[in-house]
């Protein structure tokens, strides 16, 4: 399975060469990009077929984890990994310069890395790479507004990264390791205390910048309001979800204490309230979608804060639904951007676009039997299953958000389909945008008819993602699982002291009791 | 009011981090993974400088990501500033004085040699591709400080950064094809501590050095060619 | 009088730099100063990171003539901090380029003015009348 690394390495290789190639031929650079993305899709598809529901850890460079970096492949990682090159291909910046092609390729590689990596610092590197590539894409050849928005986003994002790195440092100071599976074995003893919680809070805020989490999402309306619909779709649909995925991995594996999930629940709730109210007040279509994206991501955070499998099922459902719907809506807003009042009657005559808009809006609100309904239902059920007061409050917030969403989306729809025509069209939707949006619409409608197999698939995926023991076993082998069991038994008496500093040098293998043979070699197919 | 809340936030965070100090084992690192690398690193990788072993072997893909960030930054800066190049009719900054010009000419070969030395000895002594690459970039940028009218050939910079970055990935892919592990150390390990040791690590560091040198020189030259005239 | 142990001095210094940088980031208004504050904060967190591998009395993790000179410090944070520094350089270069661009586009290097103008600009691009409640500064817009 080691060939999966190609999905990260090849886009980087192509990206490095693109600016130089683009100097002689822009078309060549473009075809190189398309070809690379197609190969990436193929690689991840073959990996998906071969994995067949199992899990595999890939030791990069052949170094035994926890010493080297591992990529961890399970169904969730591959599903999001597969979404990355697919969406990059669909939302490719066709009119761009070779530099924009290169940045899109780098963004693809880093987003795939975010989905696959199993090392906390490696995740930080990919997170920063995603950020660096997206700043260039947002500001590149854009308007003054795009550049101003990019700068404000950059400063916020860099401040968040400082906090993220501080959180990682605290984790490293406490445990001396960066591998997620190894951290999961050490966490019960060394990170389940206020200091560990503080580290989680720092990391949550840092990762929350891209995940559009409540206090650090000021950039969202500015950036999405000033860039092209394709780029907004890529950032809102894909990049935000991958940031959330990283948060979820960290939460599930390293910080299972209830306080961590509660913190995420509270911030998610505040995000829902802030986002949906702002979307209700918004006066232009793009920023309405941007604020609604904040609200939807809030629902994603709230859903994932439910511990165990139920939360992951709900979170995945909301995240995947939003990943499908929001880019398509941004593509439709490409022509219909601008003030909502100015769109009076714009939908008449463009029946395909209007139909798609109605479909996506209804699914976003959560009208049964569209998938958006089931996603929200799963979230509310999961929260109610918890039974705590805070969880009830979360469930009520999600339901109230639905009402607000319905209010503003129906208002927009009624304007769009109004009888009186006050709309001067800047031309019909571009064919390619409509095709892409229709594709998303078809998938959405198709999923209504495949609800049961989809639900079962999601459940299996969530069970796998929630299985901490399975993760540790895949990466470190069976003995590590046994040791975590012992640690959990004596957690009450253990004190997280600075172990290991007085140990003789060079005997790490025996001292730590790893099996002499590399467990990943055994797990490799 | 806004300043007050900001101050409160910063103060609170500071207090919080200082309180953490009591609970953190500063100065007595837990050394869990680190100890493992100190133990098996010299044998498994063959680099006398164990930090290099971590940078290029154990965490090689981090380094690839790091190179990509520099690349993305350079491409982004080029894209952002593409409309702000100094036009031919605009006068560049005045030329440097005698001391700057003479020093730039004098230092150029020395900086190139020092930079290459540091790149090539990255697996033996402190230093390596990043540090050496920055020195190389300084060597090529210093003359531009003296003669602001000149500029680097950006096509050459693009090709150097593209090929050096490509070489890094290709060495990794070569290992993937032969050994089955991306970026696994290849070639013989050699005698520990000699120049030709540690397998592909020096080759990787040469690629890193060239790429970092090209990126940083390109970045600084792009910024220098930008006309920050009154708006 | 006894001096505090070395680690406490180092740790306090690193955290202070981080706090100074973050305070500058949240309180500052001048864009160039914000970029500098970012650099200071990054320096602080990088110091913190490299400190996490520090051990009293240990050697640098480099073998001398193939021999282990004695207990060595953790090599991993040193590699990590190298990565973090390079990331910081890239982001700061992007930030400076954007500051240049923003100054050209909006004629300001002040965050609050930029924010107000940016929102006006977004409203105008969307064909909306400007909101009355915004505290738009009374400065002429450059042509």
């Amino acid at each position: 399975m080691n060939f999966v690394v190609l999905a990260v390495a090849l886009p980087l290789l192509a990206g490095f060469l693109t600016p130089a190639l683009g100097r002689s031929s822009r078309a060549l650079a473009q075809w190189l990009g398309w070809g690379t993305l197609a190969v990436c899709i193929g690689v991840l598809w073959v990996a998906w077929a071969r994995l067949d529901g199992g899990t595999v850890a890939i030791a990069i460079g052949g170094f035994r984890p926890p010493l080297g970096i591992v990529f961890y492949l399970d169904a969730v990682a591959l599903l999001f990994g597969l979404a990355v090159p697919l969406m990059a291909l669909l939302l490719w910046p066709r009119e761009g310069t070779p530099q924009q092609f290169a940045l899109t390729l780098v963004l693809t590689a880093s987003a795939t890395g975010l989905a696959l990596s199993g090392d906390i610092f490696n995740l930080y590197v990919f997170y920063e790479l995603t950020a660096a590539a997206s700043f260039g894409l947002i500001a590149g050849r854009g308007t003054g507004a795009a550049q101003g928005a990019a700068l404000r986003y950059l400063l916020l994002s860099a401040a968040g990264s400082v906090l993220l790195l501080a959180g990682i440092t605290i984790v490293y100071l406490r445990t001396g390791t960066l591998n997620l599976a190894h951290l999961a074995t050490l966490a019960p003893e060394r990170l389940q205390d206020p200091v560990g919680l503080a580290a989680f809070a720092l990391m949550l805020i840092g990762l929350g910048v891209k995940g559009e989490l409540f206090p650090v999402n000021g950039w969202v309306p500015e950036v999405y309001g000033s860039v092209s619909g394709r780029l907004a779709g890529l950032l809102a649909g894909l990049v935000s979800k991958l940031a959330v995925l990283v948060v979820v991995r960290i939460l599930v594996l390293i910080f299972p204490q209830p306080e961590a999930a509660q913190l995420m629940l509270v911030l998610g709730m505040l995000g829902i309230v802030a986002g949906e109210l702002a979307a209700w007040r918004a006066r232009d279509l793009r920023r309405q979608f941007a604020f609604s994206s904040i609200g939807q991501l809030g629902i994603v955070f709230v859903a994932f804060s439910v511990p165990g499998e139920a939360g992951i099922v709900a979170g995945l459902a909301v995240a995947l639904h939003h990943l499908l719907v929001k880019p398509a809506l941004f593509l439709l807003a490409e022509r219909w951007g601008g003030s909502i009042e100015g769109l009076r009657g714009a939908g008449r005559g463009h029946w395909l676009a209007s139909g798609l808009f109605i479909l996506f809006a209804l699914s976003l609100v959560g009208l049964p039997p569209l998938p958006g309904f089931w996603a929200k239902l799963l979230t509310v059920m999961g929260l109610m299953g918890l039974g705590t007061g805070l969880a009830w409050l979360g469930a009520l917030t999600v339901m109230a958000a639905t009402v607000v969403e319905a209010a503003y989306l129906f208002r927009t729809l009624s304007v769009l389909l109004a009888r009186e025509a006050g709309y001067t069209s800047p031309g019909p939707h571009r064919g390619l945008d409509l095709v892409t949006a229709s594709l998303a619409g078809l998938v959405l409608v198709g999923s209504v008819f495949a609800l049961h197999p989809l639900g079962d698939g999601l459940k299996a995926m969530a069970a796998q993602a929630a299985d901490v023991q399975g993760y540790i076993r895949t990466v470190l082998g069976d003995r590590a699982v046994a040791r975590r069991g012992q640690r959990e038994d004596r957690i009450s008496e253990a004190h997280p002291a600075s172990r290991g500093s007085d140990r003789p040098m060079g005997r790490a293998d025996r001292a730590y009791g790893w099996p002499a043979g590399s467990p990943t070699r055994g797990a490799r197919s | 009011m806004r300043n007050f809340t900001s101050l409160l936030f910063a103060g609170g965070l500071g207090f919080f981090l200082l309180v953490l100090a009591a609970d953190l084992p500063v100065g007595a690192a837990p050394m869990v993974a680190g100890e493992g690398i100190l133990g098996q690193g010299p044998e498994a990788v063959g680099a006398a400088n164990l930090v290099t072993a971590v940078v290029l072997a154990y965490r090689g893909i981090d380094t690839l990501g790091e190179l990509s960030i520099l690349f993305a930054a350079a491409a982004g800066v080029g894209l952002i500033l593409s409309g702000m190049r100094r036009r031919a009719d605009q006068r560049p900054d005045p030329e440097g004085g005698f001391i700057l010009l003479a020093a730039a000419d004098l230092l150029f070969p020395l900086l190139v040699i020092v930079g290459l030395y540091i790149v090539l000895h990255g697996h033996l002594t402190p230093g390596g591709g990043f540090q050496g690459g920055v020195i190389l970039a300084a060597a090529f940028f210093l003359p531009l400080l003296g003669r602001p009218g000149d500029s680097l050939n950006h096509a050459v910079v693009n090709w150097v950064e593209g090929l050096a970055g490509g070489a890094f990935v290709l060495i990794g892919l070569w290992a993937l094809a032969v050994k089955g592990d991306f970026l696994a150390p290849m070639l013989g390990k050699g005698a520990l501590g000699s120049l030709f040791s540690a397998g592909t690590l020096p080759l990787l560091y040469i690629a890193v050095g060239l790429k970092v040198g090209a990126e940083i020189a390109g970045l600084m030259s792009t910024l220098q060619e930008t006309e920050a005239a009154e708006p | 009088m006894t001096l505090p142990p070395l680690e406490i001095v180092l740790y306090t210094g690193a955290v202070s730099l981080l706090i100074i940088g973050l305070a500058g980031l949240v309180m500052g208004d001048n864009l160039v100063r914000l970029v500098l504050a970012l650099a200071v904060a990054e320096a602080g967190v990088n110091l913190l990171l490299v400190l996490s591998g520090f051990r009293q009395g240990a050697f640098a993790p480099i073998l001398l003539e193939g021999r282990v000179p004695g207990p060595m410090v953790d090599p991993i944070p040193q590699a990590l901090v190298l990565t973090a520094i390079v990331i910081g350089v890239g982001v700061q270069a992007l930030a400076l380029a954007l500051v240049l661009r923003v100054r050209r586009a909006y004629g300001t290097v002040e965050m609050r003015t930029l924010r107000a103008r940016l929102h006006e600009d977004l409203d105008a691009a969307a064909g909306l009348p400007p909101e009355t409640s915004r505290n738009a500064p009374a400065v002429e817009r450059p042509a």
Side-chain angles (χ1 to χ4, degrees), chain C residues 81-97:
Chain C
V81 90
L82 181 60
T83 308
I85 289 171
V86 174
I87 292 172
V89 169
V91 171
Q92 282 156 29
L94 270 170
L96 285 176

Side-chain angles (χ1 to χ4, degrees), chain A residues 2 5-6 12-13 15-16 23 61-64 67 97 119 121-122 170 173-176 182 198 499 504 506 508 512 524, chain B residues 16 20 23 25 30-33 35-36 38-40 57-59 62 68 71 79 154-155 158 162 165-166 173 180-182:
Chain A
N2 287 10
V5 183
L6 289 177
L12 288 180
L13 178 63
F16 290 158
R23 281 185 179 269
F63 296 101
R64 201 162 45 75
L67 303 188
T97 61
D119 182 283
F121 192 81
N122 192 233
I170 294 175
L173 266 167
R174 267 299 175 82
T175 60
H182 196 199
R499 291 165 13 107
Y512 286 91
R524 192 172 292 149
Chain B
F16 163 77
L20 282 186
D23 261 351
M31 299 275 289
V32 175
E35 190 117 10
L38 289 180
Q40 58 133 273
Y58 288 98
R59 308 192 67 86
D62 268 0
S68 313
F71 169 79
L79 206 58
H154 284 277
N158 277 162
L173 292 177
D181 287 308
F182 185 67

Side-chain angles (χ1 to χ4, degrees), chain A residues 202-261:
Chain A
L202 289 172
M203 287 157 80
L204 180 64
I205 296 294
L207 291 165
V209 176
K210 284 231 158 21
E212 305 177 13
L213 189 65
F214 166 62
V216 283
N217 52 17
W219 61 274
V220 174
E222 294 168 5
V223 168
Y224 295 172
S226 59
V227 299
S228 75
R230 303 179 149 256
L231 184 57
L234 201 60
L235 294 177
L238 198 62
V239 174
S240 61
K241 302 302 175 305
L242 287 162
V244 176
L245 184 65
V246 174
V247 173
V248 172
R249 287 263 194 237
I250 291 173
L251 185 74
V252 168
L253 290 170
I254 316 179
F255 298 103
Q257 55 260 60
E259 292 87 356

Side-chain angles (χ1 to χ4, degrees), chain A residues 1 44-56 73-75 78 460 464 525:
Chain A
M1 290 294 277
L44 290 163
W45 183 256
V46 172
W48 174 276
R50 280 226 208 146
L51 199 63
D52 198 27
T55 56
V56 168
L73 307 187
D74 63 357
L78 276 182
Q464 205 175 46
S525 58

Side-chain angles (χ1 to χ4, degrees), chain A residues 118-186:
Chain A
D119 182 283
I120 201 167
F121 192 81
N122 192 233
L123 284 171
Y124 167 78
V125 172
F126 281 131
Y127 184 74
E128 285 294 288
L129 183 53
T130 314
S134 50
F135 301 145
L137 282 172
I138 293 166
R141 305 223 308 177
T143 53
Q147 283 147 358
L151 180 60
R152 284 172 53 80
Y153 177 27
L154 184 146
L155 289 171
L156 185 63
S157 167
S161 298
V162 167
L163 295 183
L164 173 60
L165 196 54
I168 292 175
T169 308
I170 294 175
V171 168
Y172 189 80
L173 266 167
R174 267 299 175 82
T175 60
T177 186
L178 297 160
N179 183 292
L180 283 182
H182 196 199
L183 281 172
T185 66
L186 297 175

Side-chain angles (χ1 to χ4, degrees), chain A residues 282-484:
Chain A
R283 298 179 300 161
D284 71 292
L285 199 56
R286 277 214 202 150
R287 273 185 282 177
Q288 185 169 70
F289 290 159
F291 284 121
S292 122
S293 167
I294 293 179
Q296 288 279 327
L297 261 301
I299 299 180
V300 174
F301 278 111
V302 165
F304 275 123
S305 74
V306 177
E309 210 184 306
I312 297 183
V313 172
L316 281 177
V318 184
L320 290 173
H321 173 253
H322 188 242
L323 184 133
L324 194 64
V325 168
K326 197 43 67 71
L329 278 175
F330 271 118
L331 283 181
L332 291 177
E334 182 86 336
R335 257 318 160 248
W336 288 341
S339 126
I340 294 175
E341 276 308 305
L343 289 174
R344 206 153 270 286
R348 304 198 144 250
H350 301 283
W351 292 113
L352 177 59
S354 313
L356 285 170
F357 191 99
I358 295 172
L359 175 69
F360 294 135
L362 290 183
S363 189
L364 209 54
V365 171
L367 189 84
L370 289 169
F373 166 73
W374 300 106
K376 277 188 182 162
L377 185 71
L378 282 170
T379 310
V380 173
M381 301 276 279
L383 285 167
M384 286 181 169
L386 277 186
T388 60
L390 203 59
W392 274 98
L393 196 60
L396 284 178
T397 315
V398 173
M399 287 191 263
T402 303
V403 176
V404 180
E405 269 173 348
Y408 67 77
L409 283 173
F410 288 154
R411 194 182 59 200
T412 308
L413 268 180
S414 71
V415 169
L416 214 54
L417 300 176
R419 267 184 200 291
E420 73 267 40
Y423 177 66
T424 47
S425 168
H429 291 269
R430 268 189 312 192
L432 198 70
D433 289 354
L434 270 187
V435 170
T436 312
S438 312
L439 218 59
L442 278 181
V443 175
L444 201 66
V445 173
S447 63
V448 175
F449 296 104
L451 221 47
H452 274 290
L454 268 181
D456 292 344
L458 268 186
K459 263 199 197 119
M461 250 185 229
Q464 205 175 46
D467 181 9
V468 180
Q469 303 296 335
Y471 194 111
I472 298 171
R473 192 176 300 120
T474 305
V475 178
L476 295 176
D478 288 326
R479 289 179 59 185
V481 180
R483 283 212 322 281
R484 177 182 160 112

